[in-house]
Amino acid sequence: MATAAIQANFSYAPHCLPPSSYDADQKPGLELAPAEPAYPPAAPEEYSDPESPQSSLSARYFRGEAATHRSLDSQLARRCPTCGKVYVSMPAMAMHLLTHDLRHKCGVCGKAFSRPWLLQGHMRSHTGEKPFGCAHCGKAFADRSNLRAHMQTHSAFKHYRCRQCDKSFALKSYLHKHCEAACVKGAEPPPPPPPAGPTS
DNA sequence: CTGGGGACGGGGCCC
DNA sequence: GGGGCCCCGTCCCCA
């Protein structure tokens, strides 16, 4: 929606299934992950789209692999002069431009970041500070995202299933690795993806 | 090959 | 309107 940036929706091989929903909701202010059922078995309601709107387009985009959705060729579209990324939303474009402005510099190693909190996180790698603790095992993390991923490893539920071989994985990244490294190799070429998507 | 963790980037939301 | 915060995600490395 809002973001007009292209939404590349092909991060994973078609035979890699998204998870059913899991509760990853950690409310801000909580330093400790809840000790209680952090990931309820969750009614197997399908969660509609694993690729959230802000899903990282990441490298693929910049390699120009992104599918060009409608409206990118519209007259409203503008291209980032630095990386070539195309936006039809000017606010999104403006925000994107900031990502090229690496004004936050690490006083220790000199690495520069576009956002202050990226620098903050980076500084923890120097200081060893790990403010995010797992209430299940006590392990501490410097990065909230990493704690979240860790919490999933406590879950007995493996939400990400490979259609090809039916193996399941707790983390999407595991499934991704599996699909790319193991399963796909030597497998029948996956069928063409369904005529996709919601848009257009 | 799988599981796990560290580091970090992009974009949306909230104040 | 801008900055900070948070979430989601990827990449890489290692056991």
Side-chain angles (χ1 to χ4, degrees), chain A residues 13 22 61 74 82 86 106 112 122 139 156 188 199:
Chain A
Y22 66 93
Y61 184 94
S74 93
T82 303
V86 177
C106 173
H122 168 79
K139 190 166 173 57
E188 291 289 317
T199 41

Side-chain angles (χ1 to χ4, degrees), chain A residues 124-166:
Chain A
R124 294 194 194 110
S125 69
H126 290 307
T127 64
E129 182 194 3
K130 295 181 176 181
F132 305 103
C134 172
H136 287 259
C137 68
K139 190 166 173 57
F141 298 84
D143 186 295
R144 195 187 299 266
S145 291
N146 293 339
L147 171 59
R148 191 184 310 115
H150 166 80
M151 295 304 284
Q152 284 181 267
T153 71
H154 284 309
S155 171
F157 301 96
K158 299 182 174 181
H159 303 289
Y160 297 93
R161 183 162 59 85
C162 174
R163 239 178 228 168
Q164 203 81 267
C165 67
D166 213 39

Side-chain angles (χ1 to χ4, degrees), chain A residues 108-128:
Chain A
V108 177
C109 69
K111 187 168 170 58
F113 299 87
S114 61
R115 315 282 182 85
W117 60 94
L118 291 176
L119 174 58
Q120 285 172 16
H122 168 79
M123 291 310 291
R124 294 194 194 110
S125 69
H126 290 307
T127 64

Side-chain angles (χ1 to χ4, degrees), chain A residues 71-93:
Chain A
S71 73
L72 280 178
D73 53 352
S74 93
Q75 296 178 343
L76 295 177
R78 293 292 183 275
R79 183 178 297 273
C80 170
T82 303
C83 68
K85 194 169 181 178
V86 177
Y87 290 83
V88 293
S89 158
M90 289 309 102
M93 172 74 162

